Each structure stands twice: as C-alpha cells, then as structure tokens.
Amino acid sequence: MWFELKKDLFSDSYLTDLRKLIDDLCYKSKYNFFIDIEQIENDLIFDQFYKENNEIIARFYEMFVTTNPKDIIIISNNDGDFNLSEAIIFIEEKFELILENDMNDGEFVNCLLKEFNEKSKKIIHFKENNWFKYQNAGGATGVINTIQQKINHFGNRKFLKCFVLVDSDLDYPQIENKKRKNLIDFCYNNNIPFHILHKREIENYLPLDIFNEINPTSLFVRTYIDRLDNNQRDFIDIENGINKSRKNLEKNKKEVFNFFSNLIENDFNNLRNGISSEFENFKRDYAKLFKKAKREGLLERTNNQINTKELEGILDKITAIL
C-alpha cells in the first residue's frame, strides 16, 4: 500500500499534524509513502522533521520513482482520498482480519503464517507491532453486523481496514455459494476484500496424518481416511457427521446423497455422528491441532482443488492491502 502526500500539506499551519502523520508512517516502516520533493516550495519545513524520517522520505522517493506503483492513496486537504486529519485516523487504525471465531479460526491462520512464511512477512510484521488483529464476528452471520457497526462508528466506510475470511459451509461442491450470497453482496457493495473458503469449514483443511492421530481406531476416522476421496473429505461435517442414514439422506438431501453415493450403508453409519465426542470442546481443541500441521500436509489437502494455491493466495490477498 502506497500513500502520496500532496504539496498543499507542507504548510507551517499544518505542521503539527503533518509531523504526526509522517512519524506514524515512518515508525518501523509501517507504510510506504511518496512525497514529490521537487514540488514542495516550502522546503525549509523538512528541517522540522526528524533526520531519520527525512532519510526515509528520500529512500521512498527513489523507490517510488523506480517502481512506479499503482493504486496510490492520495492525502490532501484539497482533493484527496483522505485529508490530513482523516489520514492520521486511518493510519492509526488496526487492520482487522474478520473471522467467524477469532480464537479457533485464528489457530488456522497462525498455521498458515508459520508454514508459508515467505508469504507472511508483512502480516507477521504488522502482528508483531500490534497493527493487525483477529476480529471475532460470532459466526458467519455476524460478519455483516460486525462491519456495519464499524461503518456506523465512523459514519462512512472509508476508514475500514479489514479482510473477511469465512467457511463456505457447503455440504457438496457448488458453483454458486447461495449460503454466502448476502455476505458476498455486502462485501462487493462496500468494497471489502474477502475470501470464502473452498472447503466446508476450516476443519476440513487438517492434514490427514494429524487427523489420524485424533483416534486411529475411531470408525469415523478410519472411514474418513480410508473410504472418502479428497473431494468428499472437503465437504463432510467433521464435527457432527452426515447425521442421516443412507436411506434418509437419499430421500431428503438428494444432491448430498449423490455426492456420497459410492459409500455403502456401513460407511454411512460410521460417518453419521462425527467426532465431536473425541474432544472436551470440539471447536477449541480441534483448532489446536493446526499447531502440528506442516506445509506439505496442508498442500496435500488442497492439491485436489481447482485452486491448488488457495492457502498461499489468502496470504497474498491480505498482504496486498496492508
């Protein structure tokens, strides 16, 4: 993310706020910013800045001219994306990764940051400096309300700094996710970046070797590993199971039945109740298993998808807007 500070800001009357903004931008290289030094008539104003900040200004000037970045955010009291006061507020706001459950889903994200560290450097830098937080939405249905409260607080959406990451909640592959239509429409209408996971839930991304460790003798675990293919593992409800007999599933959920139609009656029985009974608190304790997950296992769980780079792509999307 690049900011450009326009020449109208470089007035003695704005000095206090201008110094504050530049200090915030420079602190631990939080954001890239460009000042067209050649256009600043009041060049003596640079004497009012810290020497270290002037060195950063010069370095970013050279970087900007060399790389010619796109999608620049303009700061100007005349005609910009933010005026000076607004820019200070925006820079100080933490970036929020909005999750259905910040603690449990956060374990999954922490795993991605650790195992795809070459994609995570900027995110980790923001986390380490307390500029980045996981925001709890209280389930997928709470995401819109969480964001709307933020919009209402500021009176507009221009101060939003967030990314939405939620489960697909699908029980079989579908081209259009109707369960998330309201959320998708809301994000598009409010220019909010988001990602709907390919698989049913975050739980479905757990590598098979770690899944097997839950209980190697469990009928659910054995059937999940030995009888389901990768696509079926993507959409089964791991916590609660299929929750229907083969006959009832065929009668009441024809599309889901067709997706699992290769399974015999005994398989359906083994998968019927999920594995929640293996945990004191399923959501909390299952999520902790991602601490054991390795890059190779995560990639193996996504190599059946059309987008085999989904996990790295999530990190790329977030990094692009920091």
Side-chain angles (χ1 to χ4, degrees):
M1 181 182 291
W2 275 89
F3 294 87
E4 181 175 355
L5 281 61
K6 289 297 189 179
K7 64 180 182 180
D8 65 279
L9 302 177
F10 291 80
S11 164
D12 290 335
S13 59
Y14 300 141
L15 181 59
T16 300
D17 283 349
L18 181 61
R19 289 183 60 178
K20 162 68 174 168
L21 176 62
I22 291 176
D23 287 346
D24 289 348
L25 287 167
C26 289
Y27 181 67
K28 295 188 177 181
S29 301
K30 187 173 186 179
Y31 289 113
N32 297 344
F33 66 97
F34 171 70
I35 299 169
D36 193 345
I37 302 170
E38 303 298 328
Q39 296 294 318
I40 307 302
E41 297 175 2
N42 182 17
D43 56 356
L44 292 178
I45 200 169
F46 290 100
D47 295 336
Q48 304 298 316
F49 303 156
Y50 290 116
K51 177 182 177 182
E52 296 82 357
N53 287 354
N54 280 328
E55 291 173 354
I56 293 172
I57 290 170
R59 187 170 75 247
F60 278 140
Y61 178 90
E62 294 298 329
M63 186 186 303
F64 185 93
V65 171
T66 302
T67 61
N68 192 27
K70 308 299 180 184
D71 301 322
I72 303 157
I73 297 174
I74 303 299
I75 304 174
S76 169
N77 282 341
N78 292 334
D79 184 21
D81 299 298
F82 295 101
N83 63 35
L84 183 54
S85 298
E86 291 172 338
I88 291 172
I89 294 172
F90 183 80
I91 297 299
E92 288 183 337
E93 276 293 297
K94 288 185 181 182
F95 185 93
E96 296 183 349
L97 177 57
I98 300 176
L99 304 168
E100 296 181 46
N101 183 295
D102 60 323
M103 292 185 64
N104 302 336
D105 297 349
E107 295 282 9
F108 172 71
V109 179
N110 288 340
C111 175
L112 300 187
L113 296 178
K114 175 172 66 74
E115 294 303 312
F116 299 99
N117 61 311
E118 78 283 359
K119 298 282 189 178
S120 308
K121 292 178 181 177
K122 193 168 185 180
I123 301 172
I124 292 171
H125 178 60
F126 267 62
K127 280 193 71 181
E128 289 176 344
N129 286 285
N130 202 30
W131 304 330
F132 185 107
K133 64 179 286 191
Y134 299 153
Q135 177 62 47
N136 183 35
T141 56
V143 171
I144 293 177
N145 185 56
T146 297
I147 297 173
Q148 191 61 58
Q149 286 180 349
K150 196 83 170 176
I151 294 172
N152 293 344
H153 172 73
F154 286 113
N156 57 59
R157 64 177 71 92
K158 72 188 300 181
F159 295 105
L160 289 177
K161 293 167 70 174
C162 63
F163 185 92
V164 173
L165 178 64
V166 296
D167 299 332
S168 74
D169 208 29
L170 297 175
D171 44 14
Y172 66 96
Q174 298 172 48
I175 296 175
E176 180 182 3
N177 190 336
K178 295 181 180 179
K179 291 185 177 182
R180 294 287 179 257
K181 186 179 186 307
N182 289 342
L183 175 59
I184 291 170
D185 289 345
F186 178 83
C187 288
Y188 277 132
N189 291 338
N190 289 280
N191 198 30
I192 296 167
F194 68 95
H195 183 85
I196 310 295
L197 290 171
H198 169 76
K199 302 185 192 303
R200 181 185 185 122
E201 296 174 297
I202 280 175
E203 287 91 332
N204 298 81
Y205 288 83
L206 190 71
L208 295 185
D209 59 330
I210 300 174
F211 191 89
N212 185 62
E213 293 176 6
I214 295 170
N215 182 351
T217 63
S218 161
L219 292 177
F220 185 97
V221 171
R222 292 270 50 85
T223 306
Y224 178 89
I225 293 175
D226 299 334
R227 295 286 296 156
L228 298 184
D229 62 33
N230 278 331
N231 291 325
Q232 291 169 329
R233 293 188 195 106
D234 287 351
F235 295 97
I236 193 168
D237 186 337
I238 292 174
E239 179 181 8
N240 301 304
I242 291 177
N243 209 24
K244 292 181 184 295
S245 68
R246 194 176 195 277
K247 182 178 180 179
N248 285 338
L249 191 67
E250 183 177 14
K251 179 180 178 181
N252 297 309
K253 288 192 171 184
K254 186 67 175 177
E255 296 89 348
V256 180
F257 172 79
N258 290 339
F259 184 56
F260 292 101
S261 61
N262 65 300
L263 302 180
I264 62 175
E265 185 72 34
N266 197 45
D267 295 331
F268 276 89
N269 292 336
N270 294 342
L271 296 170
R272 187 165 183 174
N273 296 316
I275 57 169
S276 60
S277 62
E278 299 286 344
F279 301 87
E280 179 181 350
N281 181 312
F282 176 80
K283 290 294 186 184
R284 179 196 66 199
D285 298 337
Y286 188 99
K288 291 179 180 178
L289 295 175
F290 280 102
K291 292 179 178 179
K292 300 180 181 181
K294 299 300 179 184
R295 178 191 185 101
E296 294 75 15
L298 294 166
L299 291 174
E300 185 179 355
R301 282 298 295 121
T302 55
N303 66 10
N304 62 297
Q305 300 176 189
I306 294 175
N307 179 11
T308 59
K309 302 290 187 182
E310 180 188 21
L311 301 181
E312 300 108 306
I314 292 169
L315 300 176
D316 286 338
K317 288 179 182 179
I318 297 171
T319 297
I321 57 177
L322 288 181

